[in-house]
Amino acid sequence: MDKTKEQKYLAHVAAAIEQRMEELESTIESNEQSYRSMQKYTVDYKNELDKYEVYNFHQNMNYIDKRSVLETGVLKKLAYQKEVPYFAKIGFQFAGENEQEDFYIGRFGFADDYEEQLVYDWRAPISSLYYDFTLGSAFYESFGKTFPGELKQKRQYEIENQTLKWMVDTEESLNDDFLLKELGRNTTNEMKTIIHTIQKEQNEVIRDTQTKNLIIQGVAGSGKTSIALHRMAYLLYRQRETLTSEQVLILSPNRVFSDYIATVLPELGEEELQQVDITTLGKRFIEEKLQVSSRQEEVAELLERPLSDKGLNFSYKRSTEFFELAKAHLEKLKERFYIDDLELSETLKIEKSVIQSVIEQCRETALFPLVKEVSSALSNTVNSKRSSKVSMLEKIIEQKLKQRLDIKNSLQEYKGFLKQFPLKYQASTKRSFLFYCDLFPFLFFKLGIEGIEPMMAIKHLVIDEMQDYSLLQLYVLNQLFPNDKTICGDVNQNIAEENAAFLNELQNQLPKSRLAAFNMSYRSSYEIIEFAKNFTTNQQITAVKRHGKPVNIQTITTSEEKISKLTAAIADFLTSDHKSCGIICQSWEEVEALERQLSDYSLSKFSEGTSKMTEGVILTTVQFAKGLEFDEVILPDITKKQLTKKSNAIYTSCSRALHGLTVLVTSGE
């Protein structure tokens, strides 16, 4: 490998970027001076300027302001790119050509002042050669055309501060040593981009522009969330004329996770995407002033006290049985329209079979709008035989159909529906209060009775941790957001229930859906994943061959011994070069007890109110650790019996660890 030649090219690119930055800085400074001059002029001569001159000045100032914002964003990209201009190179010989051409691939593309493309964006069509092919015959597609040829070279670089520290040639999409080096790094407070380590199967999903509803089922540590976010970056890059960051919404499980993933898109050159939790999102679609209980409190109740009334209520409202009963109830309501012939007068009636036939041809599905559509259609049908005015007849039919329907509003009907169930499953007796587990069932009723205008302004919805949501919730979300979706998660990390049919049922609910499955785990060491497999029914999970220290399983007999071994584990962490250690408990009682017992240590507690990822020792439960990763994890309250059973919660907890896992085992049940 000609390292001198590579160093010269790196210096050339860095110099070109530096020159561009200087030009931009000069332009931005000039723009600011022009803006200030215009602003001063309009103030100094405000009494002498006519309204057209004032308007023109304001338009010019607005243009300068927008241009400065744009150029400042470009300058920020260039500042990063100057330090790390690219991470790979491919040598490609086009079919019919005698020489190979070199293409350097980076986080962003860059062309010099002579329009020579020195670096290609990782999302550019030609960059797919790097991710999709080994050396030999290859092709890429651009603007509907296929460009075949032969991939002659693939080279990977480690560049830091404009310095070439390491490079390697490889036949594969990624050199094993390079991959293991990247995976062996410590955690950070922010999710890292994966453009250096994207695998072929991941790249294929990221670049999928055809699927309307893409479902990503990925085992713990498979990179499913990263794949979803990189797919958004790719779509925003390729569909700039039709898709903007404001038109993408992420449904996020909690505020810590939102903060953790917030920097991925900006680091890829796109604007930060708006994120929302499911409770806030659901409340946007109701006019009623309702207070909704905490989702996290109800989840905690289910996990820690599953047989309590609250736990059973939450669990049942998630069930397929409850969903089917809700659907059946709405169908029964529709049957009220044609339960009997409709008597309009002593001499005029409409047979129930006619009403049913008209309903089956209607476009409306919500009952209240359906009343109007059916009334109009029936009045036209009757009027063809009678001389009475259509408008008068339509009003009579509409009034009689409303009487048959006998529904005041969706909320009252939903609460009435719940009265058939035992008391623990019924709605809160507080007038303006809903349990979280009733929010989306209520929206389901609202969709079916009053109708809800879908949010068409959102062109792409990303749903993370899909297994945390019921099929009813996902059905409602599909109705509210009928445009494209990327849905990701791991059914084996469903800590609320076990539903083997979940993926099939979800695919049946979503039109034009595709399932992409990833079974390779890249996060945890081989030893940690092999241990975690003991707790999951998914034995297809495969660990990348990154070896670490064995899982540290310690038996404890007393609370004093537990604290002693916990403090020893924390001390080991504090003297290591690792940055984060998660102590993941099975209950909040355990969290609070350890918080008191470990008061001598500086601990961060992750709970519902936590909004930012931090380093150091973190004390939390699995419901808040989901989706995050730590250099080390300690499970302080595992029983001997639990070691022999399948448990999604323990599997999820174990797989949060990158490098070290300590399990303290008691003899309890």
Side-chain angles (χ1 to χ4, degrees):
M1 291 184 288
D2 188 354
K3 190 170 183 179
T4 302
K5 182 180 177 182
E6 290 286 7
Q7 287 172 329
K8 285 182 178 179
Y9 188 81
L10 175 59
H12 171 64
V13 175
I17 294 172
E18 180 69 37
Q19 180 182 342
R20 179 70 52 79
M21 290 178 68
E22 291 174 358
E23 293 169 356
L24 263 178
E25 287 168 349
S26 176
T27 301
I28 292 170
E29 176 61 29
S30 176
N31 288 340
E32 289 179 356
Q33 290 178 359
S34 297
Y35 187 93
R36 287 194 294 268
S37 296
M38 287 185 186
Q39 193 175 44
K40 185 176 185 302
Y41 188 88
T42 56
V43 172
D44 291 346
Y45 297 96
K46 63 180 179 180
N47 295 324
E48 300 176 29
L49 298 172
D50 62 35
K51 62 180 182 181
Y52 298 107
E53 289 175 308
V54 172
Y55 174 78
N56 285 332
F57 271 113
H58 280 297
Q59 286 292 97
N60 288 333
M61 289 166 66
N62 188 45
Y63 170 76
I64 291 172
D65 190 44
K66 288 182 178 178
R67 181 178 172 182
S68 292
V69 170
L70 179 64
E71 289 173 339
T72 301
V74 174
L75 190 61
K76 188 177 179 181
K77 288 183 186 179
L78 290 173
Y80 169 82
Q81 195 167 25
K82 183 181 72 169
E83 304 303 318
V84 187
Y86 46 83
F87 58 83
K89 180 180 79 172
I90 54 172
F92 188 62
Q93 184 175 328
F94 288 89
E97 299 291 332
N98 295 324
E99 300 289 334
Q100 78 173 43
E101 293 184 45
D102 291 340
F103 300 91
Y104 288 81
I105 301 169
R107 183 172 297 187
F108 314 119
F110 179 78
D112 64 15
D113 291 341
Y114 303 100
E115 297 187 1
E116 180 184 356
Q117 195 73 33
L118 301 182
V119 181
Y120 287 80
D121 192 294
W122 68 276
R123 297 166 291 187
I126 198 166
S127 299
S128 64
L129 292 169
Y130 171 71
Y131 296 111
D132 289 345
F133 293 95
T134 57
L135 299 185
S137 296
F139 67 90
Y140 71 94
E141 296 179 351
S142 180
F143 295 104
K145 294 183 179 180
T146 300
F147 296 86
E150 186 173 357
L151 191 58
K152 294 281 199 177
Q153 183 185 40
K154 297 181 74 170
R155 180 169 288 177
Q156 292 151 12
Y157 307 93
E158 183 178 1
I159 298 172
E160 189 176 314
N161 298 325
Q162 303 179 42
T163 302
L164 180 59
K165 302 185 72 175
W166 183 76
M167 65 181 183
V168 63
D169 286 339
T170 179
E171 292 189 12
E172 302 298 327
S173 61
L174 191 66
N175 177 270
D176 285 344
D177 292 337
F178 185 85
L179 175 62
L180 294 178
K181 186 176 182 180
E182 287 293 310
L183 296 177
R185 297 182 188 273
N186 291 332
T187 58
T188 64
N189 291 348
E190 302 162 346
M191 178 177 279
K192 296 175 286 190
T193 62
I194 60 169
I195 53 174
H196 303 69
T197 58
I198 292 172
Q199 304 292 289
K200 179 180 179 180
E201 63 276 10
Q202 295 173 332
N203 186 55
E204 190 272 329
V205 170
I206 288 169
R207 293 173 184 257
D208 181 353
T209 60
Q210 304 301 315
T211 303
K212 179 176 177 61
N213 294 307
L214 179 64
I215 304 169
I216 303 173
Q217 158 57 35
V219 299
S222 59
K224 51 190 173 292
T225 301
S226 290
I227 293 168
L229 294 175
H230 284 67
R231 183 175 190 237
M232 292 305 101
Y234 180 78
L235 293 177
L236 288 166
Y237 174 82
R238 293 299 304 272
Q239 301 174 2
R240 288 203 179 279
E241 295 182 1
T242 57
L243 184 68
T244 66
S245 58
E246 292 85 1
Q247 295 168 327
V248 180
L249 177 65
I250 300 178
L251 185 59
S252 182
N254 55 60
R255 288 192 288 173
V256 175
F257 187 79
S258 295
D259 176 70
Y260 181 56
I261 68 172
T263 60
V264 173
L265 269 293
E267 284 195 12
L268 294 173
E270 304 296 339
E271 294 180 20
E272 184 178 345
L273 301 180
Q274 53 181 323
Q275 298 188 53
V276 67
D277 66 90
I278 194 164
T279 307
T280 303
L281 182 61
K283 289 170 68 175
R284 289 181 184 177
F285 292 93
I286 57 178
E287 298 82 21
E288 297 85 351
K289 293 181 179 179
L290 296 172
Q291 182 185 354
V292 180
S293 64
S294 163
R295 170 178 179 252
Q296 299 297 351
E297 285 182 10
E298 292 190 27
V299 171
E301 186 74 22
L302 174 67
L303 296 178
E304 298 175 28
R305 290 170 288 277
L307 298 181
S308 68
D309 284 354
K310 276 189 178 180
L312 291 170
N313 187 29
F314 184 91
S315 179
Y316 187 63
K317 301 286 172 62
R318 287 178 55 88
S319 68
T320 302
E321 178 185 335
F322 181 78
F323 188 18
E324 293 299 325
L325 288 172
K327 285 192 285 188
H329 184 82
L330 289 182
E331 284 299 316
K332 284 289 184 183
L333 293 180
K334 188 182 290 187
E335 290 175 9
R336 291 181 183 179
F337 287 137
Y338 49 85
I339 195 169
D340 205 348
D341 296 341
L342 189 65
E343 300 282 351
L344 301 178
S345 67
E346 292 182 1
T347 58
L348 181 61
K349 71 175 181 179
I350 304 175
E351 294 181 356
K352 61 181 182 180
S353 60
V354 173
I355 302 172
Q356 184 175 3
S357 176
V358 166
I359 287 175
E360 289 171 354
Q361 298 173 41
C362 287
R363 289 171 298 181
E364 289 286 355
T365 55
L367 297 179
F368 284 3
L370 186 61
V371 168
K372 291 186 175 294
E373 188 175 352
V374 172
S375 300
S376 176
L378 289 176
S379 64
N380 288 327
T381 301
V382 174
N383 193 58
S384 65
K385 301 177 182 178
R386 302 276 175 174
S387 58
S388 56
K389 293 181 179 180
V390 173
S391 59
M392 181 69 72
L393 191 59
E394 185 177 333
K395 288 181 180 179
I396 294 171
I397 295 172
E398 183 178 336
Q399 184 179 16
K400 288 186 174 291
L401 288 178
K402 284 181 178 178
Q403 290 172 350
R404 280 192 170 185
L405 195 55
D406 190 27
I407 297 175
K408 184 178 180 181
N409 57 55
S410 304
L411 185 57
Q412 188 180 76
E413 185 62 32
Y414 175 63
K415 289 183 175 181
F417 163 73
L418 292 180
K419 288 181 180 177
Q420 66 179 293
F421 301 107
L423 188 61
K424 61 176 172 281
Y425 297 142
Q426 294 183 23
S428 170
T429 55
K430 297 179 184 177
R431 185 175 178 182
S432 300
F433 180 87
L434 269 185
F435 294 124
Y436 159 74
C437 63
D438 285 314
L439 176 58
F440 271 76
F442 163 51
L443 285 174
F444 177 73
F445 269 65
K446 197 174 185 69
L447 275 166
I449 294 172
E450 299 171 48
I452 302 176
E453 197 70 29
M455 193 171 279
M456 301 304 293
I458 298 299
K459 292 187 176 180
H460 205 113
L461 178 67
V462 180
I463 303 175
D464 205 352
E465 301 291 337
M466 63 181 177
Q467 72 280 353
D468 288 354
Y469 306 116
S470 68
L471 289 167
L472 182 151
Q473 287 175 311
L474 293 166
Y475 171 87
V476 171
L477 288 170
N478 187 50
Q479 300 302 306
L480 299 177
F481 298 91
N483 286 322
D484 295 356
K485 282 175 281 298
T486 299
I487 304 171
C488 59
D490 179 9
V491 292
N492 295 107
Q493 292 185 65
N494 185 342
I495 59 176
E497 64 179 348
E498 189 78 38
N499 181 2
F502 179 85
L503 289 173
N504 288 334
E505 292 171 344
L506 179 57
Q507 281 187 279
N508 291 336
Q509 268 189 190
L510 297 177
K512 302 176 183 177
S513 63
R514 171 199 168 196
L515 176 65
F518 296 94
N519 290 313
M520 175 67 77
S521 178
Y522 299 96
R523 176 192 295 133
S524 308
S525 69
Y526 181 85
E527 288 75 13
I528 291 171
I529 288 299
E530 286 300 302
F531 178 75
K533 284 173 69 173
N534 293 320
F535 304 101
T536 177
T537 56
N538 180 17
Q539 293 303 299
Q540 292 182 312
I541 181 172
T542 305
V544 71
K545 295 295 191 295
R546 178 177 69 83
H547 288 282
K549 56 187 179 183
V551 175
N552 184 10
I553 304 173
Q554 300 186 44
T555 302
I556 54 177
T557 56
T558 65
S559 59
E560 290 78 11
E561 188 179 7
K562 175 197 278 191
I563 298 303
S564 174
K565 293 193 174 181
L566 254 179
T567 54
I570 293 172
D572 287 344
F573 161 73
L574 293 174
T575 56
S576 73
D577 61 353
H578 292 162
K579 294 183 178 180
S580 62
C581 175
I583 302 176
I584 304 176
C585 304
Q586 297 188 67
S587 70
W588 279 108
E589 286 82 0
E590 180 71 9
V591 167
E592 290 165 358
L594 290 182
E595 189 177 25
R596 292 190 300 270
Q597 294 167 316
L598 299 172
S599 58
D600 291 340
Y601 292 88
S602 177
L603 304 176
S604 298
K605 186 168 70 171
F606 279 11
S607 62
E608 185 172 4
T610 308
S611 59
K612 291 188 73 66
M613 185 75 177
T614 60
E615 294 181 353
V617 182
I618 292 106
L619 192 57
T620 190
T621 63
V622 65
Q623 74 183 94
F624 292 103
K626 280 163 56 46
L628 304 178
E629 57 185 34
F630 308 95
D631 288 323
E632 297 183 24
V633 164
I634 302 171
L635 306 185
D637 54 355
I638 304 298
T639 67
K640 189 174 181 180
K641 188 173 182 180
Q642 285 178 315
L643 284 180
T644 64
K645 289 187 171 184
K646 301 298 181 185
S647 168
N648 286 352
I650 297 178
Y651 159 67
T652 303
S653 298
C654 292
S655 60
R656 300 307 93 202
L658 273 75
H659 309 300
L661 175 62
T662 298
V663 183
L664 303 184
V665 182
T666 69
S667 58
E669 293 295 312

